[in-house]
Each structure stands twice: as structure tokens, then as C-alpha cells.
Amino acid sequence: MIGNERHGLIGIIGNDLLRHGKLPLLLLIAVLVSAVLVVTTTHQTRRLTAEREQMVLEKDALDIEWRNLILEENALGDHSRVESIATEKLQMQHVDPSQENIVVQP
């Protein structure tokens, strides 16, 4: 009895696809591969965007620190400028407090 043979549905579909549906099977595989690539690319783009945002914040913090250091350098530079003017133009000298002899003039 030939009619009593039982074939699995998956086997029948697989054989039919391989025999008659090679192009649709190929297109299905291409769609699945492209979908996985789209998801992967989207994930990498979001990760890189977040990383870029973090780097921009770090750059802003470093810029602020740099400006503060320049201001501090300028402030400290003003003291040395005043000291050099006092030494050169007014002939003032720096006095060491431990070596100081106090002379009181009447």
C-alpha cells in the first residue's frame, strides 16, 4: 500500500522549497541577514552616539579646567610682575623675616 506512507510536514515543505522555491528561500535568507545587520548597525550607532556625548562632556569639563588654569596663571603672574617692578624701578629688596634686624628711627 503506497497510500499509507506518512511524511512529516516539515520534510515535505523543505523538499518542496528546495525543489521549486530556491529563489524565495534565497530572498528569505537575504531578508533575515539584512534585518540582523540593520539591528546590529543601529545598536552600534546608539552606542557610539552615547560614547561621543560622554566625550563631549569630558571635553567641556577639560576646557573649563583649562580656562581656570589660565586665569590662575594670570593671577599669579601679576604678583611676579609687581615684584619685578618693585625691585627694578623702586630698588626694593625682598627681606627674609628670620634675618631681619629691626632698626627703629626716632
Side-chain angles (χ1 to χ4, degrees), residues 62-75:
L62 290 173
D63 283 343
I64 291 170
E65 184 178 351
W66 175 254
R67 281 188 227 115
N68 287 340
L69 287 172
I70 289 175
L71 289 173
E72 183 179 350
E73 180 184 35
N74 290 338

Side-chain angles (χ1 to χ4, degrees), residues 1-100:
M1 294 209 162
I2 299 175
N4 285 342
E5 279 186 42
R6 297 197 75 164
H7 295 283
L9 182 60
I10 296 176
I12 294 171
I13 293 172
N15 285 336
D16 192 37
L17 281 175
L18 289 176
R19 192 173 307 147
H20 302 291
K22 290 182 183 174
L23 181 62
L25 185 61
L26 183 63
L27 291 175
L28 175 66
I29 291 171
V31 166
L32 292 175
V33 168
S34 67
V36 168
L37 290 175
V38 166
V39 169
T40 304
T41 303
T42 303
H43 173 69
Q44 288 177 347
T45 302
R46 287 181 181 168
R47 183 181 55 81
L48 290 173
T49 301
E51 187 177 325
R52 180 186 176 277
E53 186 64 32
Q54 183 65 32
M55 288 183 166
V56 167
L57 291 174
E58 185 177 335
K59 176 191 166 283
D60 290 344
L62 290 173
D63 283 343
I64 291 170
E65 184 178 351
W66 175 254
R67 281 188 227 115
N68 287 340
L69 287 172
I70 289 175
L71 289 173
E72 183 179 350
E73 180 184 35
N74 290 338
L76 292 174
D78 290 342
H79 294 294
S80 63
R81 181 176 173 267
V82 169
E83 186 177 348
S84 68
I85 290 173
T87 304
E88 293 171 9
K89 292 185 178 178
L90 302 175
Q91 287 78 34
M92 298 177 83
Q93 295 178 350
H94 182 70
V95 178
D96 187 11
S98 63
Q99 305 272 331
E100 186 176 315

